[in-house]
Amino acid sequence: MRAELAGLREQALTDIAACQAETELEAVRVRYLGKKGSLNAILRGLGGLSAEERPAVGALANDIKDEILARIAEKASELASDGLRRSLAEERTDVTLPGRARPRGHTHPLRAVEQEIVGIFVAMGFSVAEGPEIEDDFHNFGALNFPPDHPARDTQDTLFLTLADDALLRTHTSPVQIRVMRSQRPPLRVIVPGACYRRDEPDATHSPMFHQVEGFMVDEQVTFADLKGVLVHFLRRLFGPETGVRFRPSFFPFTEPSAEVDIACSACAVTGRPTPGCRVCRGKGWLEVLGSGMIHPNVLRAVGYDPEVVRGFAFGMGIDRLALLRHDLDDLRLFFENDLRFLGQYPS
Ligand SMILES: [Zn+2]
């Protein structure tokens, strides 16, 4: 039996030395020392030994077991440090290499123009208001003096929702004007940036979603001269101090009188007169940028103001179109395709 134990010890130590991985070591341990392992198999023969021999052989078996366990532990730490050395060699990091730059996002060119516009009005004492993009007929049309049969209410132009009878996606930012005037009292100076929706096929100049900035001022002494002063100042801050500005009579349901506002074409301004083939203004010499007017007395009444006491002006402009002009572009879709190669050219 002593010879069997010695043989087992010899074989186990050889097997341990040959191990290449910790899993193999574990297999060796189970093979020799496990419940059904070779050592226990030998020890089952202890009962056949004499009473004098039994303790000595038992002690020998224990020594062999301890030796095998110690050798396994030793081999395991050898394998671990080999592994560490190997991965250090294979996965060496060159700490002198420059870091990999991550591309950084920036403000979208539309948002940047919106922020610039809003900033100019905030500097004039306007506060910023926002409102829901899902509106109802009252805020989007009724309170703004649109007659019941106005074509803008048609499903050709307006995107209606099935949420409720008159739920729709706002077609302009003007409903926020109604919401602010109904919840606050004059004096008011407010600017409203936001997304609007109309039923349009996307092309170079149309998009079913577009952006507006709406503004209005309501107080006891507000006149058309205030409207002119504020808008001329704004346009010259945005397009340059020499920018030519003109007001043309127009019509909107919610203002009376109404005016469209043009700026002199900057592409033609170099020559001082309209250029027949000008790509930007198509030879007109002027570019329409704003709609404006004195708030209609019916609108003031709809929000509970007395048009005999307070007056106001309002204006609205398309951010997308201003951004096209600003960046000398001629296709609106570029802003909505979100091609990073395009957007990357307009870092904020
Ligand atoms: Zn021009």
Side-chain angles (χ1 to χ4, degrees):
M1 203 165 163
R2 285 175 188 273
E4 278 180 273
L5 285 171
L8 177 143
R9 173 183 171 276
E10 206 62 37
Q11 191 57 47
L13 294 183
T14 311
D15 287 358
I16 290 168
C19 281
Q20 296 295 327
E22 294 211 38
T23 48
E24 292 174 28
L25 277 176
E26 176 60 13
V28 169
R29 189 190 68 77
V30 172
R31 191 156 67 241
Y32 290 97
L33 308 180
K35 215 177 266 178
K36 295 175 182 169
S38 329
L39 186 65
N40 276 345
I42 295 171
L43 291 180
R44 256 175 238 125
L46 268 180
L49 294 178
S50 66
E52 301 85 65
E53 269 219 294
R54 219 176 288 155
V57 173
L60 175 64
N62 269 335
D63 288 348
I64 290 173
K65 184 181 175 186
D66 289 346
E67 188 182 358
I68 291 173
L69 282 174
R71 192 65 199 103
I72 286 175
E74 214 174 286
K75 182 71 181 178
S77 80
E78 265 172 46
L79 286 175
S81 65
D82 278 0
L84 181 62
R85 246 195 309 280
R86 206 174 319 124
S87 59
L88 278 176
E90 284 168 6
E91 302 161 21
R92 210 171 70 186
T93 304
D94 184 350
V95 294
T96 65
L97 281 175
R100 239 170 253 164
R102 283 169 178 274
R104 283 184 62 183
H106 59 76
T107 308
H108 190 283
L110 284 182
R111 180 72 71 191
V113 170
E114 177 190 295
Q115 285 169 351
E116 196 179 346
I117 293 168
V118 168
I120 294 170
F121 284 102
V122 166
M124 286 192 270
F126 282 66
S127 55
V128 180
E130 286 181 339
E133 292 177 16
I134 295 176
E135 269 296 1
D136 53 34
D137 184 272
F138 173 76
H139 289 91
N140 196 78
F141 295 123
L144 288 157
N145 201 35
F146 281 80
D149 55 351
H150 193 278
R153 281 184 149 121
D154 200 279
T155 49
Q156 293 279 334
D157 295 307
T158 300
L159 292 157
F160 290 91
L161 303 173
T162 50
L163 292 173
D165 268 354
D166 64 346
L168 50 87
L169 289 174
R170 67 180 180 195
T171 59
H172 47 181
T173 39
S174 305
V176 184
Q177 182 183 325
I178 301 301
R179 289 181 180 278
V180 172
M181 290 198 295
R182 273 162 70 89
S183 62
Q184 297 176 37
R185 306 299 302 172
L188 291 173
R189 268 180 293 182
V190 179
I191 190 91
V192 183
C196 310
Y197 305 85
R198 282 181 204 174
R199 197 166 163 178
D200 266 326
E201 285 295 321
D203 64 23
T205 53
H206 294 88
S207 164
M209 182 191 74
F210 55 100
H211 301 84
Q212 279 192 342
V213 173
E214 174 98 6
F216 59 95
M217 183 169 166
V218 184
D219 205 346
E220 286 179 10
Q221 305 290 335
V222 174
T223 68
F224 199 90
D226 296 311
L227 178 157
K228 272 189 83 172
V230 165
L231 292 182
V232 169
H233 173 79
F234 158 69
L235 290 169
R236 291 190 172 152
R237 285 287 305 275
L238 191 64
F239 290 103
E242 306 298 325
T243 304
V245 178
R246 76 174 184 185
F247 289 73
R248 276 184 296 112
S250 184
F251 175 81
F252 303 110
F254 35 88
T255 47
E256 178 61 33
S258 305
E260 270 171 315
V261 186
D262 300 340
I263 56 168
C265 173
S266 60
C268 294
V270 184
T271 59
R273 59 194 156 74
T275 312
C278 177
R279 188 177 58 82
V280 180
C281 66
R282 299 201 165 74
K284 292 186 205 134
W286 295 92
L287 296 160
E288 184 192 322
V289 288
L290 276 168
S292 67
M294 300 305 291
I295 297 174
H296 198 289
N298 286 350
V299 175
L300 295 174
R301 278 188 209 105
V303 298
Y305 293 174
D306 181 354
E308 302 297 325
V309 179
V310 293
R311 292 196 289 180
F313 67 78
F315 55 89
M317 67 194 96
I319 298 172
D320 317 73
R321 199 172 127 65
L322 292 177
L324 286 180
L325 279 177
R326 194 60 195 271
H327 295 303
D328 195 20
L329 297 167
D330 54 14
D331 195 330
L332 201 56
R333 287 167 292 194
L334 291 167
F335 289 132
F336 300 113
E337 284 164 356
N338 285 333
D339 185 331
L340 291 177
R341 291 168 302 179
F342 168 75
L343 296 179
Q345 296 174 59
Y346 302 95
S348 38

